[in-house]
Amino acid sequence: MPRVYSSFDLVAAHHARNLLESEGIRAEVRNERLASAMGELPPAECQAEVWVQEGDAQRAERLLREGPAVSGPPWSCAACGERMEPQFTQCWRCGAARPL
């Protein structure tokens, strides 16, 4: 299993894993609790890491670098009329959900 992402920020590592899994790539976070060992271990060894299956590594790295492809037309909020890009599921102005 190759490592495709590492960070001192545990939330960022889990976000990367969630992004990969939403695109159908099985991923796991390792070294979640090693931050407390920093000082005893080299800092680079204490980062949270995201690992994937060998065959998914290139696609996973590309997704993490570029983000998922977003398709569809822009939409307008039914509540306030604000125009949104297709990747948004909620209006940034009033909080209304995108119509289905």
Side-chain angles (χ1 to χ4, degrees):
M1 288 184 78
R3 179 185 67 208
V4 294
Y5 182 81
S6 62
S7 176
F8 288 112
D9 185 348
L10 186 57
V11 173
H14 279 277
H15 175 70
R17 184 207 58 191
N18 290 342
L19 173 64
L20 294 175
E21 290 192 348
S22 74
E23 293 292 321
I25 298 173
R26 276 194 59 229
E28 66 181 61
V29 177
R30 296 182 182 175
N31 299 343
E32 291 183 76
R33 293 179 175 74
L34 277 182
S36 62
M38 219 177 311
E40 298 293 323
L41 296 172
E45 298 296 321
C46 298
Q47 292 182 340
E49 301 173 340
V50 179
W51 293 69
V52 298
Q53 297 295 320
E54 187 72 41
D56 293 326
Q58 286 184 340
R59 183 169 165 241
E61 288 172 345
R62 183 175 35 79
L63 275 168
L64 292 174
R65 187 175 47 253
E66 300 171 6
V70 178
S71 62
W75 59 280
S76 295
C77 177
C80 71
E82 185 69 27
R83 188 166 170 85
M84 302 287 152
E85 293 300 317
Q87 69 268 28
F88 298 109
T89 59
Q90 186 175 12
C91 177
W92 69 269
R93 178 188 265 176
C94 72
R98 176 174 57 192
L100 300 173

